[in-house]
Amino acid sequence: MTEPMTYGRYLALDQLLSAQHPISDEHDELLFIVIHQTKELWLKQTIAELEAALALVRTDQLVEAYKGLARVSRIQAVMTLSWDILTTMTPSDYSRFRDVLGSSSGFQSDQFRAVETLLGLRGGGVPGPLTDGYSARPSLWDEANLALARAGFDLPEAATQRDWASPYRPSAEVEAAWARVYRDPHRWWELYQLAEKLVDIDDALATWRHKHVLTVSRVIGMKPGTGGTPGVPYLEKTLAKRAFPELWTLRTLL
């Protein structure tokens, strides 16, 4: 006889709540683990939303893609807020168990790199199976530009027939095409709204990065990060990253 479905069975709480294994006896290590495991769960959902949105944009179902893209930016906002919880852990608290982390680092998160890759930020980091799997396909920004071309805008082959695995290079022609969309939003309403959903995601990602820098600076100062990264100096270099660069620069043209 099949057992009745319960809250615990449906959510696999036995497995979920037994997946935290602090190595030290320090109270704050559990918080550190829960924060990062939660982020990975949200990244899993973000990847699922981006994959669905990519498929919709690829088939010119732009309106249908809006919901998932809006959900991504809201997930990012929740992830950013979680840094506030981590800042309740002082440098003294963290230093008591930091050594148990060894060479592990968020820099090694395959899911985070996969999200960047899906958006259009390619190259760098420590790629894993997910990142490698997505890097050979068009990113969300590539698909948005291909949708723009299918709508009749003249885009260069460097944007529409490029090596998808290579880092994207901003294009004056792509910028000018999206600027046309912004100058006549009623005519190009679906593309215009798509662009704004993408800017929401880029904005939220930049906010997440900024809060990450502040949190790391508050907890470890200018000490090197785990996993061999330079820590705050490295993170500060990521603040200028934009997945959809022309959607930012076109604003100067309007």
Side-chain angles (χ1 to χ4, degrees):
M1 180 177 177
T2 304
E3 292 185 39
M5 183 58 69
T6 65
Y7 179 80
R9 287 187 62 211
Y10 179 71
L11 296 179
L13 291 183
D14 286 346
Q15 297 96 312
L16 183 66
L17 298 179
S18 61
Q20 297 75 44
H21 305 287
I23 298 175
S24 74
D25 294 325
E26 297 298 328
H27 175 77
D28 282 357
E29 190 185 354
L30 177 61
L31 171 65
F32 191 83
I33 292 170
V34 168
I35 287 287
H36 287 83
Q37 287 185 338
T38 303
K39 286 184 186 295
E40 290 294 330
L41 287 172
W42 281 126
L43 288 171
K44 180 176 182 177
Q45 185 65 43
T46 297
I47 289 169
E49 299 298 341
L50 290 175
E51 285 185 314
L54 272 160
L56 290 168
V57 174
R58 188 178 301 123
T59 54
D60 295 315
Q61 299 179 78
L62 305 188
V63 174
E64 291 84 350
Y66 298 162
K67 179 179 179 179
L69 296 176
R71 183 175 289 170
V72 168
S73 61
R74 284 158 177 75
I75 290 172
Q76 290 171 299
V78 170
M79 290 176 64
T80 298
L81 284 172
S82 70
W83 290 123
D84 285 338
I85 304 172
L86 199 60
T87 59
T88 64
M89 184 175 64
T90 69
S92 298
D93 297 330
Y94 183 49
S95 65
R96 293 191 184 101
F97 69 85
R98 189 187 186 196
D99 62 312
V100 306
L101 302 179
S103 61
S104 66
S105 169
F107 189 66
Q108 300 160 352
S109 172
D110 187 24
Q111 287 202 123
F112 182 75
R113 295 296 171 191
V115 168
E116 287 192 317
T117 300
L118 283 166
L119 293 177
L121 294 166
R122 306 197 164 185
V126 183
L130 273 177
T131 304
D132 286 340
Y134 292 130
S135 64
R137 311 178 202 172
S139 69
L140 182 56
W141 186 225
D142 292 322
E143 292 292 359
N145 286 328
L146 290 169
L148 188 66
R150 288 192 297 271
F153 288 82
D154 187 20
L155 297 186
E157 289 186 1
T160 61
Q161 299 181 37
R162 68 187 198 85
D163 175 9
W164 307 122
S166 299
Y168 177 80
R169 295 182 181 277
S171 161
E173 294 95 330
V174 171
E175 178 189 61
W178 283 106
R180 280 182 58 198
V181 170
Y182 272 76
R183 289 193 185 99
D184 195 356
H186 295 292
R187 180 180 179 185
W188 306 108
W189 187 251
E190 292 187 9
L191 287 165
Y192 176 71
Q193 287 296 315
L194 173 65
E196 281 298 285
K197 293 293 186 294
L198 298 183
V199 171
D200 286 343
I201 290 173
D202 234 358
D203 190 320
L205 184 55
T207 302
W208 184 89
R209 292 187 196 278
H210 177 67
K211 188 62 177 177
H212 188 190
V213 171
L214 290 178
T215 302
V216 173
S217 179
R218 179 169 175 168
V219 175
I220 69 170
M222 299 301 289
K223 292 194 287 287
T226 54
T229 67
V232 169
Y234 166 76
L235 295 175
E236 287 178 334
K237 292 178 181 178
T238 70
L239 293 178
K241 284 186 175 183
R242 296 292 181 270
F244 320 115
E246 290 92 338
L247 294 184
W248 294 91
T249 58
L250 71 81
R251 281 154 165 76
T252 306
L253 304 178
L254 301 179

PDB file of all heavy atoms in Angstrom, residues 87-108:
ATOM      1  N   THR A  87      25.904  38.873   7.437  1.00  0.00           N
ATOM      2  CA  THR A  87      26.667  39.944   8.097  1.00  0.00           C
ATOM      3  C   THR A  87      26.450  39.967   9.605  1.00  0.00           C
ATOM      4  O   THR A  87      27.142  40.712  10.314  1.00  0.00           O
ATOM      5  CB  THR A  87      26.305  41.324   7.519  1.00  0.00           C
ATOM      6  OG1 THR A  87      24.908  41.573   7.682  1.00  0.00           O
ATOM      7  CG2 THR A  87      26.683  41.421   6.056  1.00  0.00           C
ATOM      8  N   THR A  88      25.510  39.170  10.122  1.00  0.00           N
ATOM      9  CA  THR A  88      25.396  39.055  11.578  1.00  0.00           C
ATOM     10  C   THR A  88      26.542  38.230  12.151  1.00  0.00           C
ATOM     11  O   THR A  88      26.704  38.174  13.374  1.00  0.00           O
ATOM     12  CB  THR A  88      24.052  38.414  11.985  1.00  0.00           C
ATOM     13  OG1 THR A  88      23.996  37.066  11.490  1.00  0.00           O
ATOM     14  CG2 THR A  88      22.883  39.212  11.434  1.00  0.00           C
ATOM     15  N   MET A  89      27.311  37.603  11.274  1.00  0.00           N
ATOM     16  CA  MET A  89      28.488  36.834  11.687  1.00  0.00           C
ATOM     17  C   MET A  89      29.700  37.769  11.641  1.00  0.00           C
ATOM     18  O   MET A  89      30.055  38.286  10.585  1.00  0.00           O
ATOM     19  CB  MET A  89      28.699  35.648  10.744  1.00  0.00           C
ATOM     20  CG  MET A  89      29.830  34.725  11.144  1.00  0.00           C
ATOM     21  SD  MET A  89      29.895  33.282  10.045  1.00  0.00           S
ATOM     22  CE  MET A  89      30.272  34.070   8.475  1.00  0.00           C
ATOM     23  N   THR A  90      30.314  37.994  12.767  1.00  0.00           N
ATOM     24  CA  THR A  90      31.426  38.932  12.849  1.00  0.00           C
ATOM     25  C   THR A  90      32.735  38.292  12.368  1.00  0.00           C
ATOM     26  O   THR A  90      32.816  37.057  12.233  1.00  0.00           O
ATOM     27  CB  THR A  90      31.619  39.414  14.289  1.00  0.00           C
ATOM     28  OG1 THR A  90      32.113  38.307  15.073  1.00  0.00           O
ATOM     29  CG2 THR A  90      30.305  39.927  14.883  1.00  0.00           C
ATOM     30  N   PRO A  91      33.770  39.100  12.112  1.00  0.00           N
ATOM     31  CA  PRO A  91      35.064  38.520  11.735  1.00  0.00           C
ATOM     32  C   PRO A  91      35.584  37.515  12.761  1.00  0.00           C
ATOM     33  O   PRO A  91      36.169  36.491  12.406  1.00  0.00           O
ATOM     34  CB  PRO A  91      35.980  39.746  11.655  1.00  0.00           C
ATOM     35  CG  PRO A  91      35.062  40.879  11.339  1.00  0.00           C
ATOM     36  CD  PRO A  91      33.781  40.570  12.046  1.00  0.00           C
ATOM     37  N   SER A  92      35.342  37.801  14.034  1.00  0.00           N
ATOM     38  CA  SER A  92      35.783  36.867  15.084  1.00  0.00           C
ATOM     39  C   SER A  92      35.039  35.547  14.990  1.00  0.00           C
ATOM     40  O   SER A  92      35.630  34.463  15.145  1.00  0.00           O
ATOM     41  CB  SER A  92      35.563  37.485  16.470  1.00  0.00           C
ATOM     42  OG  SER A  92      36.321  38.665  16.620  1.00  0.00           O
ATOM     43  N   ASP A  93      33.738  35.626  14.712  1.00  0.00           N
ATOM     44  CA  ASP A  93      32.940  34.402  14.563  1.00  0.00           C
ATOM     45  C   ASP A  93      33.464  33.547  13.413  1.00  0.00           C
ATOM     46  O   ASP A  93      33.618  32.326  13.546  1.00  0.00           O
ATOM     47  CB  ASP A  93      31.470  34.752  14.280  1.00  0.00           C
ATOM     48  CG  ASP A  93      30.803  35.511  15.414  1.00  0.00           C
ATOM     49  OD1 ASP A  93      31.187  35.295  16.569  1.00  0.00           O
ATOM     50  OD2 ASP A  93      29.893  36.315  15.112  1.00  0.00           O
ATOM     51  N   TYR A  94      33.692  34.189  12.269  1.00  0.00           N
ATOM     52  CA  TYR A  94      34.112  33.465  11.067  1.00  0.00           C
ATOM     53  C   TYR A  94      35.498  32.869  11.225  1.00  0.00           C
ATOM     54  O   TYR A  94      35.760  31.733  10.795  1.00  0.00           O
ATOM     55  CB  TYR A  94      34.066  34.411   9.868  1.00  0.00           C
ATOM     56  CG  TYR A  94      34.412  33.771   8.539  1.00  0.00           C
ATOM     57  CD1 TYR A  94      33.822  32.573   8.145  1.00  0.00           C
ATOM     58  CD2 TYR A  94      35.318  34.374   7.674  1.00  0.00           C
ATOM     59  CE1 TYR A  94      34.121  31.995   6.919  1.00  0.00           C
ATOM     60  CE2 TYR A  94      35.623  33.806   6.443  1.00  0.00           C
ATOM     61  CZ  TYR A  94      35.032  32.620   6.073  1.00  0.00           C
ATOM     62  OH  TYR A  94      35.346  32.048   4.864  1.00  0.00           O
ATOM     63  N   SER A  95      36.391  33.611  11.857  1.00  0.00           N
ATOM     64  CA  SER A  95      37.778  33.141  11.984  1.00  0.00           C
ATOM     65  C   SER A  95      37.887  31.873  12.819  1.00  0.00           C
ATOM     66  O   SER A  95      38.852  31.115  12.692  1.00  0.00           O
ATOM     67  CB  SER A  95      38.650  34.240  12.602  1.00  0.00           C
ATOM     68  OG  SER A  95      38.255  34.521  13.934  1.00  0.00           O
ATOM     69  N   ARG A  96      36.877  31.604  13.626  1.00  0.00           N
ATOM     70  CA  ARG A  96      36.921  30.411  14.488  1.00  0.00           C
ATOM     71  C   ARG A  96      36.721  29.116  13.715  1.00  0.00           C
ATOM     72  O   ARG A  96      37.082  28.050  14.207  1.00  0.00           O
ATOM     73  CB  ARG A  96      35.872  30.525  15.602  1.00  0.00           C
ATOM     74  CG  ARG A  96      36.164  31.622  16.614  1.00  0.00           C
ATOM     75  CD  ARG A  96      35.246  31.514  17.822  1.00  0.00           C
ATOM     76  NE  ARG A  96      35.468  32.624  18.738  1.00  0.00           N
ATOM     77  CZ  ARG A  96      34.691  33.703  18.834  1.00  0.00           C
ATOM     78  NH1 ARG A  96      33.615  33.794  18.064  1.00  0.00           N
ATOM     79  NH2 ARG A  96      34.962  34.662  19.682  1.00  0.00           N
ATOM     80  N   PHE A  97      36.114  29.207  12.521  1.00  0.00           N
ATOM     81  CA  PHE A  97      35.923  27.959  11.767  1.00  0.00           C
ATOM     82  C   PHE A  97      36.407  28.062  10.318  1.00  0.00           C
ATOM     83  O   PHE A  97      36.314  27.090   9.570  1.00  0.00           O
ATOM     84  CB  PHE A  97      34.442  27.534  11.791  1.00  0.00           C
ATOM     85  CG  PHE A  97      33.508  28.410  11.016  1.00  0.00           C
ATOM     86  CD1 PHE A  97      33.318  28.225   9.644  1.00  0.00           C
ATOM     87  CD2 PHE A  97      32.811  29.435  11.636  1.00  0.00           C
ATOM     88  CE1 PHE A  97      32.446  29.029   8.923  1.00  0.00           C
ATOM     89  CE2 PHE A  97      31.937  30.245  10.920  1.00  0.00           C
ATOM     90  CZ  PHE A  97      31.762  30.035   9.561  1.00  0.00           C
ATOM     91  N   ARG A  98      36.947  29.205   9.921  1.00  0.00           N
ATOM     92  CA  ARG A  98      37.314  29.387   8.521  1.00  0.00           C
ATOM     93  C   ARG A  98      38.300  28.334   8.029  1.00  0.00           C
ATOM     94  O   ARG A  98      38.262  27.920   6.862  1.00  0.00           O
ATOM     95  CB  ARG A  98      37.901  30.790   8.314  1.00  0.00           C
ATOM     96  CG  ARG A  98      38.097  31.121   6.839  1.00  0.00           C
ATOM     97  CD  ARG A  98      38.825  32.420   6.628  1.00  0.00           C
ATOM     98  NE  ARG A  98      38.868  32.762   5.203  1.00  0.00           N
ATOM     99  CZ  ARG A  98      39.681  33.664   4.681  1.00  0.00           C
ATOM    100  NH1 ARG A  98      40.511  34.328   5.458  1.00  0.00           N
ATOM    101  NH2 ARG A  98      39.651  33.890   3.390  1.00  0.00           N
ATOM    102  N   ASP A  99      39.181  27.879   8.897  1.00  0.00           N
ATOM    103  CA  ASP A  99      40.208  26.934   8.462  1.00  0.00           C
ATOM    104  C   ASP A  99      39.617  25.612   7.969  1.00  0.00           C
ATOM    105  O   ASP A  99      40.228  24.923   7.147  1.00  0.00           O
ATOM    106  CB  ASP A  99      41.212  26.672   9.595  1.00  0.00           C
ATOM    107  CG  ASP A  99      40.563  26.040  10.811  1.00  0.00           C
ATOM    108  OD1 ASP A  99      39.506  26.541  11.244  1.00  0.00           O
ATOM    109  OD2 ASP A  99      41.106  25.043  11.330  1.00  0.00           O
ATOM    110  N   VAL A 100      38.399  25.247   8.434  1.00  0.00           N
ATOM    111  CA  VAL A 100      37.821  23.969   8.011  1.00  0.00           C
ATOM    112  C   VAL A 100      37.361  24.018   6.547  1.00  0.00           C
ATOM    113  O   VAL A 100      37.115  22.964   5.942  1.00  0.00           O
ATOM    114  CB  VAL A 100      36.637  23.530   8.911  1.00  0.00           C
ATOM    115  CG1 VAL A 100      37.067  23.501  10.373  1.00  0.00           C
ATOM    116  CG2 VAL A 100      35.417  24.407   8.713  1.00  0.00           C
ATOM    117  N   LEU A 101      37.248  25.216   5.980  1.00  0.00           N
ATOM    118  CA  LEU A 101      36.828  25.336   4.582  1.00  0.00           C
ATOM    119  C   LEU A 101      37.907  24.870   3.619  1.00  0.00           C
ATOM    120  O   LEU A 101      37.623  24.527   2.474  1.00  0.00           O
ATOM    121  CB  LEU A 101      36.453  26.787   4.259  1.00  0.00           C
ATOM    122  CG  LEU A 101      35.339  27.411   5.099  1.00  0.00           C
ATOM    123  CD1 LEU A 101      35.112  28.852   4.671  1.00  0.00           C
ATOM    124  CD2 LEU A 101      34.066  26.608   4.977  1.00  0.00           C
ATOM    125  N   GLY A 102      39.159  24.864   4.086  1.00  0.00           N
ATOM    126  CA  GLY A 102      40.258  24.436   3.219  1.00  0.00           C
ATOM    127  C   GLY A 102      40.332  25.291   1.977  1.00  0.00           C
ATOM    128  O   GLY A 102      40.324  26.519   2.043  1.00  0.00           O
ATOM    129  N   SER A 103      40.362  24.654   0.814  1.00  0.00           N
ATOM    130  CA  SER A 103      40.461  25.375  -0.450  1.00  0.00           C
ATOM    131  C   SER A 103      39.102  25.577  -1.116  1.00  0.00           C
ATOM    132  O   SER A 103      39.028  26.028  -2.261  1.00  0.00           O
ATOM    133  CB  SER A 103      41.390  24.613  -1.411  1.00  0.00           C
ATOM    134  OG  SER A 103      40.868  23.315  -1.679  1.00  0.00           O
ATOM    135  N   SER A 104      38.012  25.237  -0.393  1.00  0.00           N
ATOM    136  CA  SER A 104      36.682  25.415  -0.976  1.00  0.00           C
ATOM    137  C   SER A 104      36.345  26.895  -1.060  1.00  0.00           C
ATOM    138  O   SER A 104      36.771  27.704  -0.232  1.00  0.00           O
ATOM    139  CB  SER A 104      35.629  24.685  -0.136  1.00  0.00           C
ATOM    140  OG  SER A 104      35.515  25.278   1.142  1.00  0.00           O
ATOM    141  N   SER A 105      35.589  27.262  -2.096  1.00  0.00           N
ATOM    142  CA  SER A 105      35.255  28.665  -2.324  1.00  0.00           C
ATOM    143  C   SER A 105      34.018  28.760  -3.203  1.00  0.00           C
ATOM    144  O   SER A 105      33.791  27.912  -4.071  1.00  0.00           O
ATOM    145  CB  SER A 105      36.423  29.373  -3.008  1.00  0.00           C
ATOM    146  OG  SER A 105      36.058  30.656  -3.475  1.00  0.00           O
ATOM    147  N   GLY A 106      33.232  29.819  -2.980  1.00  0.00           N
ATOM    148  CA  GLY A 106      32.099  30.077  -3.857  1.00  0.00           C
ATOM    149  C   GLY A 106      32.535  30.286  -5.296  1.00  0.00           C
ATOM    150  O   GLY A 106      31.741  30.131  -6.231  1.00  0.00           O
ATOM    151  N   PHE A 107      33.793  30.625  -5.486  1.00  0.00           N
ATOM    152  CA  PHE A 107      34.384  30.781  -6.813  1.00  0.00           C
ATOM    153  C   PHE A 107      34.243  29.488  -7.623  1.00  0.00           C
ATOM    154  O   PHE A 107      34.272  29.507  -8.847  1.00  0.00           O
ATOM    155  CB  PHE A 107      35.861  31.143  -6.635  1.00  0.00           C
ATOM    156  CG  PHE A 107      36.579  31.551  -7.890  1.00  0.00           C
ATOM    157  CD1 PHE A 107      36.233  32.712  -8.568  1.00  0.00           C
ATOM    158  CD2 PHE A 107      37.626  30.796  -8.387  1.00  0.00           C
ATOM    159  CE1 PHE A 107      36.907  33.102  -9.717  1.00  0.00           C
ATOM    160  CE2 PHE A 107      38.306  31.172  -9.540  1.00  0.00           C
ATOM    161  CZ  PHE A 107      37.946  32.338 -10.200  1.00  0.00           C
ATOM    162  N   GLN A 108      34.078  28.364  -6.905  1.00  0.00           N
ATOM    163  CA  GLN A 108      33.984  27.051  -7.552  1.00  0.00           C
ATOM    164  C   GLN A 108      32.548  26.645  -7.866  1.00  0.00           C
ATOM    165  O   GLN A 108      32.321  25.534  -8.359  1.00  0.00           O
ATOM    166  CB  GLN A 108      34.621  25.999  -6.635  1.00  0.00           C
ATOM    167  CG  GLN A 108      36.091  26.248  -6.335  1.00  0.00           C
ATOM    168  CD  GLN A 108      36.582  25.515  -5.095  1.00  0.00           C
ATOM    169  OE1 GLN A 108      35.792  24.925  -4.356  1.00  0.00           O
ATOM    170  NE2 GLN A 108      37.886  25.569  -4.851  1.00  0.00           N
TER     171      GLN A 108
END
